[in-house]
Coordinates of all heavy atoms in Angstrom, one line a residue:
M1 N 0.8 -1.2 0.0 CA 0.0 0.0 0.0 C 0.9 1.3 0.0 O 2.0 1.2 0.5 CB -0.9 0.0 1.3 CG -1.9 -1.1 1.4 SD -3.0 -0.7 2.7 CE -4.5 -0.8 1.8
K2 N 0.3 2.3 -0.5 CA 1.0 3.6 -0.5 C 0.2 4.5 0.4 O -1.0 4.6 0.4 CB 1.1 4.2 -1.8 CG 2.1 3.4 -2.8 CD 2.4 4.2 -4.0 CE 3.4 3.4 -4.9 NZ 4.8 3.6 -4.4
A3 N 1.0 5.4 1.1 CA 0.4 6.4 1.9 C 0.9 7.7 1.5 O 2.2 7.8 1.3 CB 0.6 6.1 3.4
R4 N 0.1 8.7 1.5 CA 0.6 10.1 1.2 C 0.1 11.0 2.4 O -1.1 11.0 2.7 CB 0.0 10.6 -0.1 CG 0.5 12.0 -0.5 CD 0.0 12.4 -1.8 NE 0.8 11.6 -2.8 CZ 0.3 11.3 -4.0 NH1 -0.9 11.6 -4.3 NH2 1.0 10.6 -4.8
V5 N 1.1 11.7 3.0 CA 0.8 12.6 4.1 C 1.0 14.0 3.6 O 2.0 14.3 3.1 CB 1.7 12.3 5.3 CG1 1.3 13.2 6.4 CG2 1.6 10.8 5.7
H6 N 0.0 14.9 3.7 CA 0.0 16.3 3.5 C 0.2 17.0 4.8 O -0.7 16.9 5.7 CB -1.2 16.8 2.7 CG -1.3 16.1 1.4 ND1 -0.9 16.7 0.2 CD2 -1.9 15.0 1.0 CE1 -1.1 15.9 -0.8 NE2 -1.8 14.9 -0.4
I7 N 1.3 17.8 4.9 CA 1.5 18.5 6.2 C 1.6 20.0 5.8 O 2.3 20.5 5.0 CB 2.8 18.1 6.8 CG1 2.8 16.6 7.1 CG2 3.1 18.9 8.1 CD1 4.0 16.0 7.5
M8 N 0.7 20.8 6.6 CA 0.7 22.3 6.4 C 0.7 22.9 7.8 O 0.2 22.3 8.8 CB -0.6 22.7 5.7 CG -0.8 22.2 4.3 SD 0.3 23.0 3.1 CE -0.3 24.6 3.2
L9 N 1.2 24.2 7.8 CA 1.1 24.9 9.1 C -0.4 25.2 9.4 O -1.2 25.4 8.5 CB 1.9 26.2 8.9 CG 3.4 26.1 8.9 CD1 4.0 27.5 8.5 CD2 3.9 25.6 10.2
K10 N -0.7 25.2 10.7 CA -2.1 25.5 11.1 C -2.4 26.9 10.8 O -1.5 27.8 10.7 CB -2.2 25.2 12.6 CG -2.2 23.8 13.0 CD -2.3 23.6 14.5 CE -2.4 22.2 14.8 NZ -2.5 22.0 16.4
D11 N -3.7 27.2 10.6 CA -4.1 28.6 10.4 C -3.7 29.4 11.5 O -3.8 29.0 12.7 CB -5.7 28.6 10.2 CG -6.1 27.9 9.0 OD1 -5.3 27.7 8.0 OD2 -7.3 27.5 9.0
G12 N -3.2 30.6 11.3 CA -2.8 31.5 12.3 C -1.3 31.4 12.6 O -0.8 32.3 13.3
V13 N -0.6 30.4 12.1 CA 0.8 30.2 12.3 C 1.5 31.0 11.2 O 1.2 30.7 10.0 CB 1.2 28.8 12.4 CG1 2.8 28.6 12.5 CG2 0.5 28.1 13.5
L14 N 2.5 31.9 11.5 CA 3.1 32.6 10.5 C 3.9 31.6 9.6 O 4.5 30.6 10.1 CB 4.1 33.6 11.1 CG 3.5 34.7 11.9 CD1 4.6 35.6 12.5 CD2 2.6 35.5 11.0
D15 N 3.9 31.9 8.3 CA 4.6 31.1 7.3 C 5.7 31.9 6.6 O 5.4 32.4 5.5 CB 3.6 30.4 6.3 CG 4.2 29.4 5.4 OD1 5.4 29.3 5.3 OD2 3.5 28.8 4.6
P16 N 6.9 32.0 7.1 CA 7.8 32.9 6.5 C 8.3 32.4 5.1 O 8.5 33.2 4.2 CB 9.0 32.9 7.4 CG 8.8 31.9 8.4 CD 7.3 31.5 8.4
Q17 N 8.3 31.1 4.9 CA 8.7 30.6 3.5 C 7.6 30.9 2.5 O 7.9 31.3 1.5 CB 8.9 29.1 3.6 CG 10.2 28.7 4.3 CD 10.4 27.2 4.4 OE1 9.5 26.5 4.7 NE2 11.5 26.7 4.0
G18 N 6.3 30.8 2.9 CA 5.2 31.1 2.0 C 5.3 32.6 1.7 O 5.0 33.0 0.6
E19 N 5.5 33.5 2.7 CA 5.6 34.9 2.5 C 6.7 35.2 1.6 O 6.6 36.1 0.7 CB 5.7 35.6 3.8 CG 5.7 37.1 3.7 CD 4.5 37.7 3.1 OE1 3.4 37.1 3.1 OE2 4.5 38.8 2.5
A20 N 7.8 34.5 1.7 CA 9.0 34.8 0.7 C 8.6 34.4 -0.7 O 8.9 35.1 -1.6 CB 10.2 34.0 1.2
V21 N 7.9 33.3 -0.8 CA 7.4 32.9 -2.2 C 6.4 33.9 -2.7 O 6.6 34.3 -3.9 CB 6.8 31.5 -2.2 CG1 6.1 31.2 -3.5 CG2 7.9 30.4 -1.8
R22 N 5.5 34.4 -1.9 CA 4.5 35.4 -2.3 C 5.3 36.7 -2.8 O 5.0 37.2 -3.9 CB 3.6 35.7 -1.2 CG 2.5 36.7 -1.7 CD 1.8 37.4 -0.5 NE 2.7 38.2 0.2 CZ 3.1 39.4 -0.2 NH1 2.7 39.9 -1.4 NH2 3.9 40.1 0.6
H23 N 6.3 37.1 -2.0 CA 7.0 38.3 -2.4 C 7.8 38.1 -3.7 O 7.8 38.9 -4.6 CB 8.0 38.6 -1.3 CG 8.7 39.9 -1.5 ND1 9.9 39.9 -2.2 CD2 8.5 41.2 -1.2 CE1 10.4 41.2 -2.4 NE2 9.5 42.0 -1.7
A24 N 8.4 36.9 -3.9 CA 9.2 36.6 -5.1 C 8.3 36.6 -6.3 O 8.6 37.1 -7.4 CB 9.9 35.3 -5.0
L25 N 7.1 36.0 -6.1 CA 6.1 36.0 -7.3 C 5.7 37.4 -7.6 O 5.6 37.7 -8.9 CB 4.9 35.2 -6.9 CG 5.1 33.6 -6.8 CD1 3.8 33.0 -6.2 CD2 5.4 33.1 -8.1
G26 N 5.5 38.3 -6.7 CA 5.2 39.7 -6.9 C 6.4 40.3 -7.7 O 6.1 41.1 -8.7
T27 N 7.6 40.1 -7.3 CA 8.8 40.6 -8.0 C 8.8 40.1 -9.4 O 9.2 40.9 -10.3 CB 10.1 40.2 -7.2 OG1 9.9 40.7 -5.9 CG2 11.3 40.8 -7.9
L28 N 8.4 38.9 -9.7 CA 8.3 38.4 -11.1 C 7.1 38.8 -11.9 O 7.0 38.4 -13.0 CB 8.4 36.8 -11.0 CG 9.6 36.2 -10.4 CD1 9.5 34.8 -10.2 CD2 10.8 36.5 -11.4
G29 N 6.3 39.7 -11.4 CA 5.2 40.3 -12.1 C 3.9 39.6 -11.8 O 2.9 39.9 -12.5
F30 N 3.8 38.6 -10.9 CA 2.5 38.0 -10.5 C 1.9 38.7 -9.4 O 1.9 38.2 -8.3 CB 2.8 36.5 -10.3 CG 3.4 35.7 -11.4 CD1 4.7 35.4 -11.4 CD2 2.6 35.3 -12.5 CE1 5.3 34.7 -12.4 CE2 3.1 34.6 -13.5 CZ 4.5 34.3 -13.5
A31 N 1.3 39.9 -9.7 CA 0.8 40.8 -8.6 C -0.5 40.3 -8.0 O -0.8 40.8 -6.9 CB 0.6 42.2 -9.3
G32 N -1.2 39.4 -8.6 CA -2.5 39.0 -8.0 C -2.4 37.9 -6.9 O -3.4 37.6 -6.4
V33 N -1.2 37.5 -6.5 CA -1.1 36.5 -5.4 C -1.1 37.3 -4.1 O -0.3 38.0 -3.7 CB 0.2 35.7 -5.6 CG1 0.3 34.7 -4.5 CG2 0.3 35.0 -7.0
E34 N -2.2 36.9 -3.3 CA -2.4 37.6 -2.0 C -1.9 36.8 -0.8 O -1.7 37.4 0.3 CB -3.9 38.0 -1.8 CG -4.4 38.9 -2.9 CD -5.9 39.3 -2.7 OE1 -6.5 38.6 -1.8 OE2 -6.4 40.1 -3.4
G35 N -1.7 35.6 -1.0 CA -1.2 34.8 0.1 C -0.6 33.4 -0.4 O -1.1 32.8 -1.4
V36 N 0.4 32.9 0.3 CA 1.0 31.5 -0.1 C 1.2 30.9 1.2 O 1.8 31.5 2.2 CB 2.4 31.7 -0.8 CG1 3.0 30.4 -1.0 CG2 2.1 32.5 -2.2
R37 N 0.9 29.6 1.3 CA 1.2 28.8 2.4 C 2.0 27.6 1.8 O 1.6 27.0 0.9 CB -0.1 28.2 3.1 CG -1.1 29.2 3.6 CD -0.6 29.9 4.8 NE -0.7 29.1 6.0 CZ -0.3 29.5 7.1 NH1 0.2 30.6 7.3 NH2 -0.4 28.7 8.2
Q38 N 3.1 27.3 2.4 CA 4.0 26.2 2.0 C 3.8 25.0 2.9 O 3.7 25.2 4.1 CB 5.4 26.7 1.9 CG 6.3 25.6 1.4 CD 7.7 26.1 1.2 OE1 8.0 27.3 0.8 NE2 8.7 25.3 1.5
G39 N 3.8 23.9 2.3 CA 3.7 22.6 3.1 C 4.7 21.6 2.6 O 5.5 21.8 1.8
K40 N 4.4 20.4 3.0 CA 5.2 19.2 2.5 C 4.4 18.0 2.3 O 3.3 17.9 2.9 CB 6.4 18.9 3.4 CG 6.0 18.7 4.9 CD 7.2 18.6 5.7 CE 6.8 18.6 7.2 NZ 7.9 18.6 8.1
V41 N 4.8 17.1 1.4 CA 4.1 15.9 1.2 C 5.1 14.8 1.4 O 6.3 14.9 0.9 CB 3.6 15.8 -0.3 CG1 3.0 14.5 -0.6 CG2 2.6 16.9 -0.6
I42 N 4.7 13.8 2.1 CA 5.6 12.6 2.4 C 4.8 11.4 1.9 O 3.6 11.2 2.2 CB 5.8 12.4 3.9 CG1 6.6 13.7 4.4 CG2 6.7 11.2 4.2 CD1 6.7 13.7 5.9
E43 N 5.5 10.6 1.0 CA 4.9 9.4 0.5 C 5.6 8.2 1.1 O 6.9 8.2 1.2 CB 5.1 9.3 -1.1 CG 4.2 10.3 -1.8 CD 4.2 10.2 -3.3 OE1 5.1 9.5 -3.8 OE2 3.4 10.9 -3.9
L44 N 4.8 7.2 1.6 CA 5.4 6.0 2.2 C 4.8 4.8 1.5 O 3.7 4.7 1.1 CB 4.8 6.0 3.7 CG 5.1 7.2 4.6 CD1 4.2 7.1 5.8 CD2 6.6 7.2 5.0
D45 N 5.7 3.8 1.3 CA 5.4 2.5 0.8 C 5.3 1.6 1.9 O 6.3 1.4 2.8 CB 6.5 1.9 -0.1 CG 6.5 2.7 -1.5 OD1 5.4 3.1 -2.0 OD2 7.6 2.9 -2.0
L46 N 4.1 1.0 2.2 CA 3.8 0.2 3.4 C 3.6 -1.2 3.0 O 3.1 -1.5 1.9 CB 2.6 0.7 4.0 CG 2.6 2.3 4.4 CD1 1.1 2.7 4.8 CD2 3.6 2.5 5.5
A47 N 4.0 -2.1 3.9 CA 3.8 -3.6 3.7 C 2.4 -4.0 4.1 O 2.0 -5.1 3.9 CB 4.8 -4.3 4.5
A48 N 1.7 -3.1 4.8 CA 0.4 -3.4 5.3 C -0.6 -3.8 4.2 O -0.5 -3.3 3.1 CB -0.2 -2.2 6.1
T49 N -1.6 -4.6 4.6 CA -2.6 -5.0 3.6 C -4.0 -4.5 4.1 O -4.9 -4.5 3.2 CB -2.7 -6.5 3.4 OG1 -2.8 -7.1 4.7 CG2 -1.4 -7.0 2.8
D50 N -4.1 -4.1 5.3 CA -5.4 -3.6 5.8 C -5.4 -2.1 5.8 O -4.6 -1.4 6.4 CB -5.6 -4.2 7.3 CG -6.9 -3.7 7.8 OD1 -8.0 -4.1 7.5 OD2 -6.8 -2.7 8.6
K51 N -6.3 -1.5 5.1 CA -6.4 0.0 4.9 C -6.5 0.7 6.2 O -5.8 1.7 6.5 CB -7.4 0.4 3.9 CG -7.4 1.8 3.5 CD -8.4 2.1 2.4 CE -8.4 3.5 2.0 NZ -9.2 3.8 0.9
A52 N -7.4 0.3 7.1 CA -7.6 0.9 8.3 C -6.4 0.9 9.2 O -6.1 1.9 9.9 CB -8.9 0.4 9.0
A53 N -5.8 -0.3 9.3 CA -4.6 -0.5 10.1 C -3.5 0.4 9.6 O -2.7 1.0 10.3 CB -4.2 -1.9 10.2
A54 N -3.4 0.5 8.2 CA -2.3 1.3 7.7 C -2.5 2.7 8.0 O -1.5 3.4 8.4 CB -2.3 1.0 6.2
E55 N -3.7 3.2 7.9 CA -4.0 4.6 8.2 C -3.7 4.9 9.6 O -3.1 5.9 10.0 CB -5.5 5.0 7.9 CG -5.7 6.4 8.1 CD -7.1 6.9 7.6 OE1 -7.8 6.1 6.9 OE2 -7.5 8.0 8.0
A56 N -4.1 4.0 10.6 CA -3.8 4.2 12.0 C -2.3 4.3 12.2 O -1.9 5.1 13.1 CB -4.4 3.1 12.8
E57 N -1.6 3.4 11.6 CA -0.1 3.3 11.8 C 0.5 4.7 11.2 O 1.4 5.2 11.9 CB 0.5 2.2 11.1 CG 2.0 2.0 11.3 CD 2.6 0.7 10.8 OE1 2.1 0.3 9.6 OE2 3.4 0.1 11.4
V58 N 0.1 5.1 10.1 CA 0.6 6.4 9.5 C 0.3 7.5 10.4 O 1.1 8.4 10.6 CB 0.2 6.6 8.1 CG1 0.6 7.9 7.6 CG2 0.7 5.5 7.2
R59 N -0.9 7.6 11.0 CA -1.3 8.6 11.9 C -0.3 8.6 13.2 O 0.0 9.7 13.6 CB -2.8 8.6 12.3 CG -3.7 8.9 11.2 CD -5.1 9.1 11.7 NE -6.0 9.4 10.5 CZ -6.1 10.6 10.0 NH1 -5.4 11.6 10.5 NH2 -6.8 10.9 8.9
Q60 N 0.0 7.5 13.7 CA 0.9 7.4 14.7 C 2.3 7.9 14.3 O 2.9 8.6 15.1 CB 1.1 6.0 15.2 CG -0.1 5.4 16.0 CD 0.1 3.9 16.4 OE1 1.1 3.4 16.1 NE2 -0.8 3.5 17.2
M61 N 2.7 7.7 13.1 CA 4.0 8.2 12.6 C 3.9 9.7 12.6 O 4.9 10.3 12.9 CB 4.2 7.6 11.2 CG 4.5 6.2 11.1 SD 4.7 5.7 9.3 CE 4.6 4.0 9.4
C62 N 2.8 10.3 12.2 CA 2.7 11.7 12.1 C 2.7 12.3 13.5 O 3.4 13.3 13.7 CB 1.4 12.1 11.4 SG 1.3 11.7 9.7
E63 N 2.0 11.7 14.4 CA 2.0 12.2 15.8 C 3.3 12.1 16.5 O 3.7 13.0 17.3 CB 0.9 11.5 16.6 CG -0.5 11.7 16.1 CD -1.0 13.0 16.4 OE1 -0.6 13.7 17.5 OE2 -1.8 13.5 15.7
K64 N 4.1 11.1 16.1 CA 5.4 10.9 16.8 C 6.6 11.6 16.1 O 7.6 11.9 16.7 CB 5.7 9.4 17.0 CG 4.7 8.8 18.0 CD 5.0 7.3 18.1 CE 4.1 6.7 19.2 NZ 4.4 5.3 19.4
L65 N 6.5 11.7 14.8 CA 7.8 12.1 14.1 C 7.5 13.1 12.9 O 8.1 14.1 12.8 CB 8.5 10.9 13.5 CG 9.7 11.2 12.7 CD1 10.8 11.9 13.5 CD2 10.2 10.0 12.0
L66 N 6.6 12.7 12.0 CA 6.5 13.4 10.7 C 5.9 14.8 10.8 O 6.3 15.7 10.0 CB 5.6 12.6 9.7 CG 6.1 11.2 9.4 CD1 5.2 10.4 8.5 CD2 7.5 11.2 8.9
A67 N 5.0 15.1 11.7 CA 4.5 16.4 11.8 C 4.6 16.9 13.2 O 4.6 16.2 14.2 CB 2.9 16.3 11.5
N68 N 4.9 18.3 13.3 CA 4.9 19.0 14.6 C 3.5 19.4 14.9 O 3.1 20.5 14.4 CB 5.9 20.1 14.5 CG 6.0 20.9 15.8 OD1 5.2 20.7 16.7 ND2 6.9 21.9 15.9
T69 N 2.8 18.6 15.6 CA 1.3 18.8 15.8 C 1.0 20.1 16.6 O -0.1 20.4 16.7 CB 0.7 17.6 16.4 OG1 1.3 17.3 17.6 CG2 0.8 16.4 15.5
V70 N 2.0 20.7 17.2 CA 1.8 22.0 17.9 C 1.4 23.0 16.9 O 0.5 23.9 17.1 CB 3.0 22.4 18.8 CG1 2.8 23.7 19.4 CG2 3.2 21.3 19.9
I71 N 2.2 23.1 15.7 CA 2.0 24.1 14.8 C 1.6 23.6 13.4 O 1.3 24.4 12.5 CB 3.3 25.0 14.6 CG1 4.4 24.1 14.1 CG2 3.6 25.6 15.9 CD1 5.7 24.8 13.7
E72 N 1.5 22.3 13.2 CA 1.2 21.7 11.9 C -0.1 20.9 11.9 O -0.3 20.2 12.9 CB 2.4 20.9 11.3 CG 3.5 21.7 11.0 CD 4.7 20.9 10.6 OE1 5.0 19.8 11.1 OE2 5.4 21.3 9.7
K73 N -0.8 20.8 10.8 CA -1.9 19.9 10.7 C -1.5 18.9 9.6 O -0.7 19.3 8.7 CB -3.2 20.6 10.4 CG -3.1 21.5 9.1 CD -4.4 22.3 9.0 CE -4.3 23.2 7.7 NZ -5.4 24.0 7.5
Y74 N -2.2 17.8 9.5 CA -1.9 16.8 8.5 C -3.1 16.0 8.0 O -4.1 16.0 8.8 CB -0.7 15.8 8.9 CG -1.2 15.0 10.1 CD1 -1.8 13.7 9.9 CD2 -0.9 15.3 11.4 CE1 -2.2 12.9 10.9 CE2 -1.3 14.6 12.5 CZ -1.9 13.4 12.3 OH -2.3 12.6 13.3
T75 N -3.0 15.5 6.8 CA -4.1 14.6 6.3 C -3.4 13.4 5.7 O -2.2 13.5 5.3 CB -4.9 15.3 5.2 OG1 -4.1 15.7 4.1 CG2 -5.7 16.4 5.7
V76 N -4.0 12.3 5.8 CA -3.4 11.0 5.4 C -4.3 10.4 4.3 O -5.6 10.4 4.4 CB -3.4 10.0 6.5 CG1 -2.8 8.7 6.1 CG2 -2.5 10.6 7.7
E77 N -3.7 10.0 3.2 CA -4.4 9.3 2.1 C -3.7 7.9 2.0 O -2.5 7.8 1.9 CB -4.3 10.0 0.8 CG -4.8 11.4 0.7 CD -4.4 12.1 -0.6 OE1 -4.0 11.4 -1.6 OE2 -4.5 13.3 -0.7
I78 N -4.6 6.9 1.9 CA -4.1 5.5 1.7 C -4.6 5.0 0.4 O -5.8 5.1 0.1 CB -4.5 4.5 2.8 CG1 -4.1 5.1 4.3 CG2 -4.1 3.2 2.6 CD1 -2.7 5.1 4.6
A79 N -3.7 4.4 -0.4 CA -4.1 3.8 -1.7 C -3.5 2.5 -1.9 O -2.5 2.2 -1.3 CB -3.7 4.7 -2.8

């Protein structure tokens, strides 16, 4: 199975990288961009065969290592 984890900063948390990208886009002539939030995607190849168990395991991975749950939110997709 494959798992895809999308990690983004929570609403209200400053995103200096996103702001730098927004500013750079403006410098390049893309004046209509009012905000940018930058995140990350982690793809995992899993040996699991049970979708529910795989999702639970990936959520544990996020809580323990992959995401800083104080300032980040995440979503998990299992395929």
Side-chain angles (χ1 to χ4, degrees):
M1 298 190 119
K2 290 194 179 277
R4 182 174 288 147
V5 180
H6 297 265
I7 302 171
M8 296 289 294
L9 288 171
K10 290 181 177 178
D11 295 336
V13 176
L14 294 177
D15 186 351
Q17 289 179 313
E19 184 58 23
V21 170
R22 187 198 62 75
H23 183 272
L25 289 170
T27 301
L28 293 171
F30 299 102
V33 180
E34 296 180 354
V36 175
R37 303 287 286 176
Q38 181 174 323
K40 55 189 169 185
V41 175
I42 299 172
E43 291 185 348
L44 304 163
D45 290 322
L46 306 171
T49 56
D50 179 77
K51 186 174 182 177
E55 183 173 347
E57 185 174 39
V58 172
R59 288 189 180 281
Q60 287 180 354
M61 292 177 194
C62 290
E63 294 290 327
K64 293 182 178 182
L65 176 68
L66 301 178
N68 178 351
T69 56
V70 173
I71 61 170
E72 294 175 321
K73 59 186 176 182
Y74 63 87
T75 58
V76 176
E77 299 173 18
I78 304 291

